[in-house]
Amino acid sequence: MKRRKFIQNTSISSLGIMAGAASLSCKDGEKENQSVTEVTPTWPLVVATWNVKESTQAAWEVLNKGGAALDAIEQGCRVEEANADGQSVGIGGLPDRDGNVTLDACIMNKEGNYGAVVYLQNIKHPISVARKVMEETPHVILAGKGAEQFAISQGFIPEDLLTEKSKKAWEAWTKTSEYKPIINIENHDTIGMLAIDQNGDLAGGCTTSGLAYKMAGRVGDSPIIGSGLFVDNEIGAATATGLGEEVLKTVGSFLIVELMRQGMTPQQACEEAIGRIVQKNENFEDFQVGYIAVNKKGETGAYSIHDGFVVTTYVNDNNESFKPDYFNKST
Ligand code: ASP
């Protein structure tokens, strides 16, 4: 297996942050407040939002055999999409306020090509439909009924995605019908995943059922290029989780990649992107956003507004989940 190691170009200020952040007590198999850049930069690697070790394992298996980052991303995301117990992705995702499960996803390859589906219903694997949009159509985004019809034409089988568990949760919610973003809902939200394969090429993907009990028709950041995901094979990649409206308004993933292009480490770029959101929102205490990023050398970074965000990395044969550093230390 071809592997290369790189010396980290972490700046003195970010070393300070890392030292402050490195309190590594273990809880539920997750390490606490770890700066992701402490992992020796190398590739292949996969990094994902939240504690999704089975997903990163599936992605790693593709990478370890010499497979392409794009295939690793698709396989990794599919694991969580098929998990009916997870209520934020794929089957079992929490519905909108009318009780409809609507899914958003996108995927991006090393050539800078991109495919996405928004407001997709009845199809369990939006990440794979997004890839088909990228590879089989002249378009980059398909929405709603058109996306579903396209998926069926490509051989995807329609099925009811609203599980009993999610239906019960929605029915309970309808008693108050109070819409409020929930920070770190069930400690597991959108799956954003970035990978570097043995050739050193990057790809990324993002898949979600969006915010629970959203308005019908609402689309978040996850399927929108530059917001929920951006990949530039010369520089790096980034992806987001959390309140999509704030990620959209700051074009967060593109911002992170551009900051890395200007010389920031992935960690510094994630912190700057979170800083922009916090600066613009007096009410930042009410919502969560988390970013992960990787650069071309295999250095990674992650940062969120609040405690509770979890990242999983699979690198150096080590599949590990931990809490990255975060902004709001006041609570
Ligand atoms: N970012 C997703 C959205 O806004 C939701 C999430 O990650 O919690 O749709």
Side-chain angles (χ1 to χ4, degrees):
M1 186 190 313
K2 195 168 85 181
R3 289 219 177 134
R4 295 183 198 165
K5 290 200 174 174
F6 293 89
I7 297 168
Q8 289 188 39
N9 64 356
T10 314
S11 72
I12 289 168
S13 68
S14 106
L15 281 170
I17 291 161
M18 285 163 61
S23 65
L24 300 178
S25 64
C26 282
K27 194 178 85 184
D28 300 334
E30 295 158 4
K31 291 185 176 178
E32 298 257 346
N33 301 345
Q34 184 177 352
S35 173
V36 188
T37 44
E38 288 170 357
V39 177
T40 308
T42 185
W43 32 262
L45 70 79
V46 56
V47 54
T49 56
W50 304 106
N51 188 346
V52 287
K53 287 197 192 124
E54 288 176 16
S55 292
T56 47
Q57 170 80 39
W60 177 260
E61 279 164 18
V62 175
L63 298 172
N64 204 28
K65 279 190 243 155
L70 188 71
D71 294 326
I73 292 295
E74 182 182 5
Q75 292 311 315
C77 289
R78 282 175 67 95
V79 170
E80 204 46 49
E81 288 177 342
N83 173 13
D85 282 336
Q87 291 185 292
S88 55
V89 177
I91 190 163
L94 288 169
D96 66 15
R97 58 176 58 175
D98 298 335
N100 297 311
V101 180
T102 69
L103 305 178
D104 297 336
C106 73
I107 196 160
M108 208 164 166
N109 70 8
K110 64 179 187 216
E111 283 88 22
N113 293 319
Y114 151 84
V117 286
V118 304
Y119 202 80
L120 176 67
Q121 291 180 262
N122 304 314
I123 305 290
K124 181 163 70 183
H125 288 303
I127 194 75
S128 296
V129 187
R131 183 169 178 176
K132 290 279 185 203
V133 171
M134 178 174 79
E135 293 178 345
E136 306 293 337
T137 82
H139 307 302
V140 294
I141 307 179
L142 290 181
K145 268 281 158 231
E148 187 179 338
Q149 280 160 5
F150 168 69
I152 292 166
S153 77
Q154 292 290 317
F156 292 83
I157 311 290
E159 61 188 296
D160 185 2
L161 302 179
L162 186 63
T163 55
E164 268 313 300
K165 181 176 155 191
S166 290
K167 191 171 172 204
K168 280 202 181 109
W170 169 68
E171 282 165 355
W173 174 81
T174 57
K175 294 197 176 102
T176 58
S177 294
E178 190 199 354
Y179 177 74
K180 194 165 173 268
I182 304 164
I183 292 179
N184 304 326
I185 184 168
E186 64 153 18
N187 212 12
H188 181 307
D189 271 312
T190 297
I191 303 307
M193 188 178 283
L194 311 171
I196 309 183
D197 61 28
Q198 290 186 31
N199 291 328
D201 288 322
L202 280 88
C206 196
T207 182
T208 189
S209 52
L211 294 180
Y213 320 130
K214 59 197 175 185
M215 288 176 69
R218 181 261 187 192
V219 173
D221 60 310
S222 306
I224 305 301
I225 189 168
S227 289
L229 175 72
F230 197 71
V231 177
D232 182 328
N233 201 40
E234 284 181 12
I235 304 297
T239 186
T241 182
L243 187 62
E245 281 71 7
E246 297 307 325
V247 177
L248 280 162
K249 286 191 276 182
T250 48
V251 200
S253 294
F254 183 71
L255 172 64
I256 289 170
V257 172
E258 288 305 301
L259 291 169
M260 291 194 288
R261 189 191 305 277
Q262 290 163 26
M264 285 194 187
T265 63
Q267 185 63 33
Q268 290 167 332
C270 288
E271 291 178 20
E272 174 66 22
I274 289 292
R276 302 261 179 116
I277 292 175
V278 167
Q279 271 165 21
K280 286 194 172 131
N281 287 282
E282 280 177 10
N283 67 332
F284 71 85
E285 298 205 339
D286 298 338
F287 62 86
Q288 174 71 305
V289 172
Y291 287 114
I292 60 172
V294 62
N295 67 12
K296 192 70 180 163
K297 300 180 204 172
E299 295 170 334
T300 53
Y303 200 64
S304 59
I305 300 177
H306 301 286
D307 194 11
F309 182 37
V310 178
V311 175
T312 303
T313 57
Y314 204 137
V315 64
N316 289 328
D317 292 316
N318 192 17
N319 196 10
E320 186 179 54
S321 296
F322 54 88
K323 285 182 169 185
D325 196 13
Y326 57 94
F327 175 80
N328 184 16
K329 302 279 169 46
S330 67
T331 50

